[in-house]
Amino acid sequence: MASSTQIDTRYADFIHEVAEWEGVWALYHNGWLLQTTATGEKYCPIFATRDEAKSFAASIQSDHVPSAITLVELTESVMMQWRAEEVMAGICPTPAKPAIVVSLDQLSDDIMAALKDVMDERFGTQS
């Protein structure tokens, strides 16, 4: 039985899905959609699936559209831009739940660890 105190697994689920697919989704329209936390931190909402991104865009009535970002693009380009602009990552916001806001370093470390696990599963552990 679900309760309001049920553990929020969105972050762990997001990391696993992103590592499996090797990419994320964000919302783009003349720039990435940025939002602000109650404490004033800027973040870009990112999602594991196109449908989650599309649903969120519809819920906030935005002209931004879901855009795929490969992990290579994310780590070598997009995150560099976000770091320069002091933007954090906002994981899987929904109309009912706010984004899980994490630092780009934390996100990068968690994705790389999960990606290694996925590669070990697919190809076996390399010695």
Side-chain angles (χ1 to χ4, degrees):
M1 183 159 108
S3 73
S4 60
T5 58
Q6 184 175 7
I7 294 173
D8 188 343
T9 63
R10 286 182 297 158
Y11 186 74
D13 294 344
F14 168 84
I15 293 296
H16 179 76
E17 288 180 61
V18 164
E20 286 280 335
W21 184 66
E22 298 181 24
V24 300
W25 291 86
L27 298 169
Y28 194 88
H29 178 77
N30 296 326
W32 297 111
L33 174 69
L34 298 179
Q35 297 194 306
T36 307
T37 66
T39 58
E41 295 172 306
K42 284 190 298 186
Y43 68 91
C44 181
I46 57 176
F47 306 87
T49 70
R50 182 181 184 275
D51 288 344
E52 290 171 347
K54 188 175 179 181
S55 174
F56 185 73
S59 76
I60 62 169
Q61 300 179 352
S62 173
D63 289 336
H64 289 75
V65 295
S67 297
I69 307 170
T70 67
L71 289 185
V72 171
E73 290 172 316
L74 182 67
T75 57
E76 294 183 2
S77 176
V78 176
M79 281 187 173
M80 292 177 78
Q81 174 189 352
W82 289 347
R83 276 188 181 94
E85 298 171 4
E86 297 183 5
V87 173
M88 298 179 72
I91 310 304
C92 301
T94 71
K97 295 181 180 177
I100 300 165
V101 179
V102 298
S103 73
L104 299 180
D105 290 341
Q106 181 69 54
L107 178 63
S108 181
D109 290 350
D110 292 342
I111 288 174
M112 291 305 138
L115 189 57
K116 182 184 181 310
D117 291 344
V118 167
M119 293 299 139
D120 287 348
E121 288 172 20
R122 288 183 188 163
F123 306 110
T125 304
Q126 300 297 311
S127 53

